[in-house]
Amino acid sequence: MKQATNLYEQIYSFYKNLIYRGVIRKDEYLPSVREVALARKINPNTVVKAYSLLINDGLITSINKKGYLVIYSNEDKKQQYLNQTINKLKLEGYTKQELIETILEEYKDD
């Protein structure tokens, strides 16, 4: 990791990358604050600050007495995008049948 950025930003970027890449998946816990602090020989408050950024990004949540749980999922994001797209098409006047027929046509060779 680059030394030019703050240590908490390095930790934040490291775990953000692991979550986005699916290395750490939804419903898995991040290493404890204490575990990360001991491994890196840093103040636990630095880890808490990094984890707080991940919480603000909607990637993790704090579970009292359990740790930090990953709540982000690429699959959730894909489903959310699909739902938004369908809702836009409905607002533009496309019927359910038109959408179904178009989808079936697009996937006929698969």
Side-chain angles (χ1 to χ4, degrees):
M1 291 185 189
K2 296 178 184 176
Q3 295 294 55
T5 58
N6 292 322
L7 194 51
Y8 76 90
E9 291 172 328
Q10 293 176 27
I11 295 167
Y12 160 75
S13 293
F14 176 74
Y15 285 108
K16 181 179 177 180
N17 188 356
L18 291 178
I19 293 167
Y20 277 158
R21 290 182 21 232
V23 175
I24 302 175
R25 298 176 186 266
K26 183 176 181 177
D27 297 327
E28 292 181 355
Y29 283 89
L30 294 184
S32 72
V33 169
R34 180 184 169 138
E35 188 179 341
V36 175
L38 287 173
R40 294 179 179 249
K41 298 180 177 130
I42 58 173
N43 187 311
N45 290 332
T46 303
V47 181
V48 169
K49 192 169 184 177
Y51 282 10
S52 293
L53 293 175
L54 294 168
I55 289 171
N56 290 341
D57 284 352
L59 300 178
I60 66 171
T61 190
S62 177
I63 306 293
N64 199 21
K65 300 191 186 239
K66 289 202 120 206
Y68 293 88
L69 180 69
V70 175
I71 58 173
Y72 172 85
S73 165
N74 281 331
E75 292 304 313
D76 290 346
K77 290 293 181 189
K78 284 172 49 180
Q79 186 64 48
Q80 184 180 26
Y81 176 75
L82 181 58
N83 291 344
Q84 289 171 346
T85 302
I86 289 170
N87 285 329
K88 284 179 189 174
L89 292 169
K90 286 167 55 177
L91 287 173
E92 291 178 15
Y94 289 94
T95 66
K96 179 179 178 180
Q97 192 59 39
E98 288 173 321
L99 294 173
I100 290 170
E101 288 172 6
T102 302
I103 290 168
L104 291 173
E105 181 64 27
E106 285 297 316
Y107 281 96
K108 72 178 180 185
D109 293 332
D110 290 347

